[in-house]
Amino acid sequence: MDFGEFNIHIWSVVSIMGFICLLLIFLPLAKIRKNESKIKNNEKT
Amino acid sequence: MIYFTKILKKEFLIYSRKSSSFIGPVVFFLISISLYPIGISNDPDILKNLAPGLIWITVLLSTLISFQNIFSEDYEDGSIELLLASGQNLSLIVLIKIFVNWVFSCLPIIILSVFSVFLLYLPLEGLKPLIISLLIGTPTICLFGALAGALSLGKNSITGPALMLPLSLPVLILGTQAINYSLNDINFSSNILLLTAILIFLLPIILFASVGALKLHFN
Amino acid sequence: MFQILKNFYHKLGSYPWFYKISGKVIPFVGVFSISLIVISSIWGLFFSPTDAVQGDVYRIIYFHVPAVSVSQVIYYSISVAAAVFLIWRMKMAGVYIKSLAPIGAAFTFIGLLSGAIWGQPTWGTWWVWDARLTSTLVLFLFYLAIIGMQSTFASRKSADTAVSIITLIGVVNLPIVKKSVDWWNTLHQPASISISGESSISSEMLIPLLLSILGVYLFVFFTGLLFMRAEISTREQNKEWFKKLSSNN
């Protein structure tokens, strides 16, 4: 594909898929971090 | 055996005393059937083509009103718990409940769907496949309704209908197709046979599953 | 051999073992799958030849086909896990179902959306009531029912059992839906539209496509492990092993 030409169909699919994939990675990561830090906080207090 | 006939009689009594259980779906059916010509078009040619699908969809939606009746009241007054503790064959009891619910919520609608010949201009030769497909297809839908009702007991959630509608898609397709076939002079018996096959195939599975689902609420 | 498998199965059922092992595996799988997806998309987007009929729009295939195929595979794997849960009462199977259902729903959504965006320039409409599209939509509805069912039960075990029942009913019904939609479709629509012209695909297009399919499958494996870890960390918050493990880190 030409770099100069902007195909809106392709790039909307790419950006939506990228967004959902990032969501799929960072949602569970945030949850794990929250659960692990909860225990560390409990130990401190 | 006497035990089960007693339960059957009891269920019939409960439903016949509570008039809202069978008047609700009937009123819903009549209202929506008379709204379609007003909302879509009063042209007989258009309505004639739409009639099979419209009737089937309305029947499907009117069972959505009634499927929660199958277990919800027994759950609230605690009689399901007693049935579970009684040690009797639960799937047979569930079958009786589904059957009585079908007699009171679906059978009146099937009889009333004869009126669609006048109201929606359904051609007369479409009447026979309509009645037969409804008679065989609606028990399957009631089975799905029982499963959805058993899973979403005591909660007013959307999950029941959300589960039930995609499951009943094949019945809807085969039922409307049978009518359309007969209107185009094609033999529709294969569709009726398939509907029967689906009913027989799913009956034991769903009975088993809904008994399991009922037990979940009493751990 | 059988003994090793049996041991593995028993270990798989244990939360602490899984938590430790998955923590070690996740970084490798993650880096590998993401780099595979990036490589295959760059290859597909910039270096593979333009389709003679459809033009550049066909490049959506590198995202559409992997997403749709993985969404079906996830559903079948979930239903196997549901059977395992109902028969052997393996707790990990419940975790598996709960974690993989949102991933499957996400990829079904990607598949439907990319199909619609692809259909718009090639067929002229966003949506066709074609057999495949309809059955994918029904698959999406099943995923939603599974996710919605999670919250209706108070106890974890009842929720897992209910979800397993739904999943199995769904997998019994999906072939029926697929077949009946096929029959329905053949009556109403001429078979002028076929979704894929895969039969005549050239190898320069096929290699990046296969790479992207592999990448997405590995990505699902990676996020599946992540979601399962998150789920275990919520379920086992108050257990001794989890406290020990997370305070050591």
Side-chain angles (χ1 to χ4, degrees):
Chain A
M1 190 164 63
D2 220 352
F3 279 89
E5 155 195 30
F6 182 78
N7 190 323
I8 189 154
H9 296 287
I10 293 176
W11 290 110
S12 55
V13 168
V14 170
S15 55
I16 289 165
M17 181 150 169
F19 176 70
I20 291 177
C21 286
L22 285 182
L23 219 62
L24 284 180
I25 295 174
F26 285 106
L27 278 181
L29 272 182
K31 207 174 177 187
I32 295 170
R33 197 155 294 161
K34 199 185 85 189
N35 286 333
E36 288 190 346
S37 65
K38 220 188 273 172
I39 284 163
K40 279 179 193 166
N41 290 342
N42 281 352
E43 275 179 359
K44 276 176 199 161
T45 50
Chain B
M1 206 57 229
I2 301 168
Y3 183 77
F4 294 116
T5 44
K6 267 186 185 163
I7 287 188
L8 189 65
K9 267 184 199 158
K10 191 200 84 182
E11 288 291 319
F12 264 106
L13 261 182
I14 290 175
Y15 272 92
S16 53
R17 297 263 165 84
K18 202 177 60 179
S19 54
S20 67
S21 66
F22 55 92
I23 291 181
V26 164
V27 170
F28 176 83
F29 184 79
L30 283 181
I31 288 176
S32 29
I33 285 292
S34 48
L35 280 183
Y36 291 134
I38 300 166
I40 298 170
S41 156
N42 54 6
D43 182 2
D45 282 334
I46 295 176
L47 280 175
K48 196 175 72 184
N49 290 331
L50 292 177
L54 288 180
I55 296 165
W56 255 100
I57 291 169
T58 316
V59 170
L60 204 66
L61 291 180
S62 62
T63 50
L64 276 187
I65 303 177
S66 63
F67 80 86
Q68 252 137 3
N69 291 345
I70 302 179
F71 298 117
S72 67
E73 280 191 12
D74 290 0
Y75 176 72
E76 276 155 19
D77 65 15
S79 51
I80 285 223
E81 217 166 348
L82 286 179
L83 286 178
L84 280 170
S86 71
Q88 297 287 344
N89 190 345
L90 259 174
S91 35
L92 210 55
I93 297 174
V94 170
L95 181 64
I96 291 173
K97 280 185 176 298
I98 295 170
F99 172 70
V100 177
N101 183 68
W102 178 79
V103 167
F104 278 92
S105 64
C106 289
L107 210 53
I109 295 180
I110 296 174
I111 296 165
L112 275 180
S113 66
V114 176
F115 284 112
S116 59
V117 176
F118 316 113
L119 293 176
L120 296 180
Y121 307 105
L122 183 78
L124 255 182
E125 65 264 27
L127 192 62
K128 189 177 140 205
L130 174 72
I131 300 288
I132 296 175
S133 66
L134 281 176
L135 274 177
I136 298 171
T138 46
T140 317
I141 292 170
C142 279
L143 281 176
F144 292 136
L147 179 68
L151 280 170
S152 58
L153 263 189
K155 287 120 192 162
N156 237 342
S157 65
I158 192 71
T159 44
L163 179 68
M164 195 179 151
L165 286 184
L167 283 176
S168 38
L169 205 71
V171 179
L172 176 69
I173 290 171
L174 290 172
T176 48
Q177 206 182 37
I179 305 165
N180 280 329
Y181 274 170
S182 82
L183 294 185
N184 295 323
D185 286 330
I186 306 172
N187 190 358
F188 61 90
S189 60
S190 67
N191 281 38
I192 302 295
L193 288 177
L194 280 169
L195 278 175
T196 323
I198 290 177
L199 175 62
I200 294 170
F201 174 62
L202 287 176
L203 182 70
I205 297 175
I206 299 229
L207 279 185
F208 191 65
S210 32
V211 169
L214 279 181
K215 280 181 183 161
L216 286 180
H217 295 271
F218 305 99
N219 272 335
Chain C
M1 182 62 198
F2 181 69
Q3 198 60 37
I4 297 170
L5 270 180
K6 209 174 150 191
N7 267 341
F8 179 69
Y9 176 80
H10 286 301
K11 273 185 186 164
L12 205 61
S14 126
Y15 287 152
W17 183 83
F18 180 85
Y19 201 79
K20 272 177 212 152
I21 293 291
S22 66
K24 282 176 196 157
V25 173
I26 278 175
F28 299 105
V29 182
V31 169
F32 190 53
S33 67
I34 291 173
S35 51
L36 206 56
I37 288 180
V38 168
I39 290 171
S40 68
S41 352
I42 289 174
W43 189 347
L45 284 181
F46 300 116
F47 297 109
S48 67
T50 307
D51 189 84
V53 185
Q54 296 191 10
D56 274 332
V57 186
Y58 96 93
R59 290 172 205 276
I60 292 176
I61 199 174
Y62 299 115
F63 309 97
H64 177 74
V65 170
V68 172
S69 85
V70 87
S71 66
Q72 283 164 3
V73 169
I74 289 176
Y75 196 87
Y76 290 121
S77 79
I78 281 181
S79 56
V80 171
V84 168
F85 183 82
L86 287 179
I87 297 167
W88 290 295
R89 294 275 152 201
M90 186 190 188
K91 284 184 295 180
M92 193 59 88
V95 176
Y96 181 82
I97 299 172
K98 193 181 177 191
S99 323
L100 267 287
I103 302 174
F107 276 100
T108 321
F109 180 72
I110 292 176
L112 284 174
L113 206 74
S114 60
I117 294 172
W118 190 7
Q120 205 273 330
T122 44
W123 307 334
T125 60
W126 298 95
W127 184 263
V128 177
W129 285 102
D130 172 86
R132 280 210 229 179
L133 276 77
T134 314
S135 54
T136 311
L137 187 67
V138 171
L139 186 72
F140 186 60
L141 291 179
F142 274 125
Y143 275 126
L144 289 190
I146 291 174
I147 295 169
M149 216 25 137
Q150 302 280 1
S151 54
T152 38
F153 283 86
S155 105
R156 218 34 271 168
K157 204 181 157 197
S158 315
D160 282 345
T161 318
V163 168
S164 311
I165 292 174
I166 295 178
T167 314
L168 283 185
I169 295 290
V171 89
V172 166
N173 221 48
L174 263 180
I176 302 179
V177 170
K178 223 169 187 166
K179 272 278 115 196
S180 59
V181 169
D182 269 339
W183 295 319
W184 161 68
N185 182 49
T186 48
L187 181 75
H188 285 285
Q189 264 184 6
S192 59
I193 294 160
S194 74
I195 296 184
S196 64
E198 270 171 17
S199 49
S200 58
I201 195 163
S202 79
S203 67
E204 289 153 275
M205 296 177 185
L206 191 64
I207 293 167
L209 182 63
L210 289 179
L211 272 183
S212 69
I213 290 176
L214 186 67
V216 167
Y217 274 68
L218 277 175
F219 183 77
V220 166
F221 182 57
F222 163 58
T223 46
L225 286 180
L226 273 180
F227 267 86
M228 284 171 84
R229 245 170 102 83
E231 181 59 25
I232 289 173
S233 72
T234 356
R235 286 191 192 192
E236 302 275 293
Q237 261 177 37
N238 303 317
K239 295 283 165 61
E240 230 14 81
W241 69 265
F242 186 72
K243 284 178 187 167
K244 230 183 244 168
L245 204 79
S246 46
S247 56
N248 281 348
N249 287 350

